[in-house]
Amino acid sequence: MSEHPAGHAPPSHNDDERWMQLALLKARAAGEAGEVPVGAVVVVGNECIASAGNAPIISDDPSAHAEMLALREAAKVQANYRLPGATLYVTIEPCTMCFGAMQHARIQRLVYGASEPRAGVIESQLKLAEAGFYNHRIAVTAGVLATDSAQLLKDFFRSRR
């Protein structure tokens, strides 16, 4: 388990819905911009240090997932590519790329909303958070505001058909 930066305790589980609401706001904004509505927030202690919505279409960048953008911003804020003590909130179960970035950043905890049956790698497919070959373990909390997160995605894709 990663240590907390001096003076920074991880957010309590009671704060999970509060931070996920912020991630949902970012997801809605991404959806309004024509992106798949996914939002992410990075919290250290009890402070949001970064947030983002999906932007691969707008930015012409296949790696511009909400998680990746929030991690990049958080690393700049912390002036460190490692984010010990940080919790990443995201509205949907992360993909392989995003989970890999979380590992490299040494995210302490991942909290996500809806599962992603096809590409999610935490519970749906590869179960990477349980893999024993990583030298860092990320604590995972799944299903926070999952109904809201899933409905946002359903509504977005329904409007596209």
Side-chain angles (χ1 to χ4, degrees):
M1 195 71 91
S2 298
E3 293 183 17
H4 308 302
H8 292 289
S12 74
H13 293 276
N14 295 334
D15 291 329
D16 288 350
E17 287 191 10
R18 172 181 155 212
W19 296 118
M20 190 62 75
Q21 287 289 356
L22 181 55
L24 281 163
L25 283 174
K26 292 295 183 174
R28 286 184 191 98
E32 290 168 8
E35 299 282 356
V36 174
V38 177
V41 173
V42 178
V43 174
V44 175
N46 199 27
E47 179 185 356
C48 173
I49 63 167
S51 62
N54 258 3
I57 297 167
I58 295 167
S59 64
D60 296 321
D61 179 356
S63 71
H65 290 192
E67 301 97 306
M68 299 293 284
L69 296 174
L71 288 171
R72 288 176 190 152
E73 181 182 336
K76 285 182 182 173
V77 167
Q78 296 288 341
N80 191 347
Y81 76 108
R82 302 277 199 213
L83 299 169
T87 298
L88 176 71
Y89 292 86
V90 62
T91 56
I92 192 168
E93 181 182 4
C95 71
T96 309
M97 173 182 68
C98 293
F99 184 77
M102 287 178 236
Q103 280 289 335
H104 288 287
R106 300 299 193 260
I107 291 294
Q108 178 181 345
R109 185 167 172 248
L110 165 66
V111 178
Y112 67 91
S115 62
E116 211 298 67
R118 286 182 277 162
V121 298
I122 307 302
E123 68 179 87
S124 296
Q125 293 298 330
L126 302 176
K127 299 183 183 353
L128 290 180
E130 299 171 18
F133 52 81
Y134 290 113
N135 63 352
H136 173 72
R137 302 293 268 179
I138 298 173
V140 176
T141 301
V144 175
L145 300 181
T147 302
D148 295 343
S149 297
Q151 192 62 52
L152 189 58
L153 288 164
K154 286 177 191 171
D155 292 347
F156 175 80
F157 286 114
R158 186 176 303 123
S159 73
R160 296 279 187 233
R161 291 182 194 135

